[in-house]
């Protein structure tokens, strides 16, 4: 994508390089006339040029302009539609629009072979092999099985008996990429163990005590079971139901998408977010208030995408927190007042969200 964007004069003079093939030759001066990957403004210039192209061609390709502005992450496009015809139109308009700026679209992949029928093999995404033999590809870091149209997770533990340390534990947690929080409860358990290492003031490469080493090894052994987990990529929703809860060790929030298909009610996990409780001990009601704010922000982020035109219902089992939220923040101490405002701020302009 970067080499498709030309740098106008006189700014291209700032991209001059010196080159010679041998020490005996004179230096030659070469000027790079396109955006160079690795420079600080490269990402902004490329994306800004693509957005300007979408704005200029919006009258000719209205759907394609909307997709380019909304569904691109740098040079990766993830989009879809409710019918094959709609997706084909998205592909046609997006490809035609980008071609106006000399952006070539390639590495196409879909859960429907009908959509890929007229695309040559050279422009299709090549598949990888998952542990169970499934053909997969990567979608912004997530493992996607197009045939089953589901997201998968893979984890290969690195267990060295008696040599587990804080560094190896952090490395293991960092290898688990889960931006939607689909396996959030499992990773939260790992972070709780990690917090215990910090509480015990272990050095980075110091061997863990027997108690922690046993707990961490058991976690890694059980964590292999994430291979058996899969989550559907497509989730239709007529209603969003969100929950939050807290304990003295951690607190978390999750959002479920509820829909009705062929007379049957379907409920799927949409996303989740969790936090480990701070080292400074807080009461359970205060932690419940913290997670209410976390849930409010999570719902606000989902609503901002405008992917679901439905109501959001947020549930908490803490009567203390619900009573706090019914009052004005000025009635409480600073801790409660600040988090009270955080929990309700996302709903100040969103009448479709409710705490129950």
């Amino acid at each position: 994508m970067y080499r498709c964007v030309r740098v106008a004069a006189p700014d291209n003079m700032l991209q001059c390089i010196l080159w010679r093939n041998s020490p005996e030759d004179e230096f030659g001066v070469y000027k790079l006339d396109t955006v160079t990957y690795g420079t600080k403004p490269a990402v902004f210039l490329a994306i800004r040029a693509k957005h300007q192209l979408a704005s200029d061609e919006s009258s000719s390709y209205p759907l394609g302009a909307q997709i380019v502005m909304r569904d691109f992450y740098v040079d990766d496009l993830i989009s879809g539609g409710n019918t094959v015809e709609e997706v084909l139109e998205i592909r046609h308009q997006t490809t035609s629009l980008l071609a106006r700026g000399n952006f070539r679209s390639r590495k196409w992949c879909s859960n429907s072979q009908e959509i890929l029928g007229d695309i040559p093999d050279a422009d299709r995404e090549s598949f990888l092999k998952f542990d169970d033999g499934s053909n997969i590809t990567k979608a912004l870091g997530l493992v996607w099985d197009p045939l089953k149209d589901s997201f998968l997770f893979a984890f290969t533990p690195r267990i060295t008996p008696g040599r587990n340390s804080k560094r190896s534990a952090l490395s293991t947690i960092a290898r688990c990429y889960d931006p939607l929080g689909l396996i959030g409860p499992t990773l939260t358990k790992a972070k709780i163990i990690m917090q215990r290492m910090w509480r015990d003031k272990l050095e980075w490469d110091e061997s863990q005590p027997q108690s922690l080493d046993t707990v961490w090894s058991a976690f890694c052994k059980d964590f292999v079971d994430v291979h058996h987990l899969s989550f559907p990529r497509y989730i239709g929703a007529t209603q969003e139901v969100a929950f939050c809860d807290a304990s003295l060790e951690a607190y978390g929030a999750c959002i479920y998408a509820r829909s009705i298909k062929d007379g049957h009610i379907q409920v799927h996990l949409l996303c989740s977010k969790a936090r480990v409780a701070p080292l400074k001990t807080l009461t359970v009601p205060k932690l419940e208030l913290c997670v209410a704010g976390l849930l409010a922000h999570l719902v606000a982020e989902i609503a901002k995408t405008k992917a679901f035109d439905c109501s959001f219902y947020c549930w908490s089992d803490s009567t203390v927190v619900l009573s706090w939220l019914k009052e004005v923040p000025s009635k409480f101490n600073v801790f409660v007042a600040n988090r009270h405002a955080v929990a309700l701020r996302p709903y100040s302009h969103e009448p479709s969200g409710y705490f129950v």
Side-chain angles (χ1 to χ4, degrees), residues 244-245 284-286 288-289 315-327 332 355-356:
C244 62
D245 203 357
V284 172
K286 286 185 176 181
E288 295 271 12
L289 182 59
W315 296 81
S316 173
D317 62 353
S318 174
T319 56
V320 176
V321 172
L322 294 176
S323 64
W324 280 342
L325 296 179
K326 293 177 182 179
E327 301 292 339
F332 308 107
F355 251 113
V356 180

Side-chain angles (χ1 to χ4, degrees), residues 6-274:
R6 185 173 296 277
V7 179
D11 295 332
N12 55 0
M13 294 301 298
L14 300 175
Q15 297 191 138
C16 291
I17 59 175
L18 301 177
W19 181 262
R20 61 181 179 181
N21 293 321
S22 68
E24 292 77 19
D25 295 341
E26 293 291 333
F27 280 106
V29 180
Y30 296 87
K31 182 176 63 177
L32 303 177
D33 289 333
T34 59
V35 171
T36 303
Y37 177 78
T39 57
K40 287 186 177 181
V43 177
F44 167 78
L45 292 174
I47 295 177
R48 181 65 181 84
K50 189 167 57 179
H51 286 183
Q52 186 63 46
L53 175 64
S55 177
D56 295 342
E57 301 294 336
S58 59
S59 59
S60 301
Y61 305 102
L63 180 58
Q66 179 184 354
I67 295 300
V68 170
M69 297 292 290
R70 187 190 66 190
D71 295 344
F72 262 97
Y73 182 79
V74 190
D75 57 350
D76 292 324
L77 170 65
I78 296 183
S79 187
N82 295 320
T83 62
V84 173
E85 292 73 18
E86 182 181 350
V87 175
L88 288 173
E89 183 64 20
I90 289 175
R91 198 196 78 188
H92 167 71
Q93 289 203 22
T94 304
T95 303
S96 301
L97 186 151
L98 294 175
R100 293 286 185 92
N102 200 31
F103 292 101
R104 179 190 171 190
S105 302
R106 46 192 291 269
K107 293 188 177 181
W108 290 97
C109 186
S110 174
N111 61 330
S112 173
Q113 291 301 315
E114 186 177 352
I115 297 173
L116 303 175
D118 58 342
I119 297 180
D121 292 339
D123 289 337
R124 296 190 185 186
E125 174 73 355
S126 57
F127 290 110
L128 305 171
K129 282 293 183 182
F130 197 60
D131 295 345
D132 61 358
S134 304
N135 291 324
I136 63 169
T137 185
K138 292 291 188 71
L140 293 181
L142 295 175
V143 178
W144 176 40
D145 182 354
L147 182 62
K148 299 179 181 178
D149 198 16
S150 59
F151 290 122
L152 307 174
F153 289 90
F155 176 73
T156 303
R158 298 176 180 174
I159 302 177
T160 306
R163 294 294 301 170
N164 290 324
S165 63
K166 187 165 66 174
R167 188 187 303 276
S168 64
L170 183 59
S171 175
T172 299
I173 296 173
R175 286 166 50 215
C176 303
Y177 183 67
D178 181 28
L180 297 177
L182 298 178
I183 57 174
T186 304
L187 292 180
T188 301
K189 184 178 179 180
K191 293 176 182 178
I192 291 174
I193 300 174
M194 186 71 187
Q195 188 186 59
R196 290 176 58 185
M197 299 179 192
W198 281 99
R199 185 183 290 115
D200 293 345
K201 298 181 180 180
L202 299 178
E203 298 295 333
W204 280 106
D205 296 310
E206 180 183 352
S207 297
Q208 298 175 3
Q210 183 64 38
S211 58
L212 272 178
D213 185 76
T214 302
V215 172
W216 179 254
S217 298
F219 166 79
C220 292
K221 182 179 179 180
D222 294 338
F223 198 14
V224 180
D225 292 337
V226 299
H227 284 340
H228 305 297
L229 298 178
S230 64
F231 300 86
R233 179 201 59 83
Y234 173 76
I235 297 178
T238 57
Q239 189 179 79
E240 301 284 347
V241 184
F243 301 91
C244 62
D245 203 357
S247 70
L248 291 176
E249 290 187 329
Y251 56 87
C254 59
I255 301 178
Y256 287 88
R258 180 182 183 273
S259 61
I260 301 177
K261 183 177 181 180
D262 300 329
H264 299 282
I265 297 177
Q266 296 182 344
V267 179
H268 296 286
L269 176 65
L270 181 61
C271 61
S272 72
K273 186 170 289 189

Side-chain angles (χ1 to χ4, degrees), residues 324-337:
W324 280 342
L325 296 179
K326 293 177 182 179
E327 301 292 339
V328 294
S330 58
K331 288 187 175 182
F332 308 107
N333 59 41
V334 175
F335 183 97
V336 175

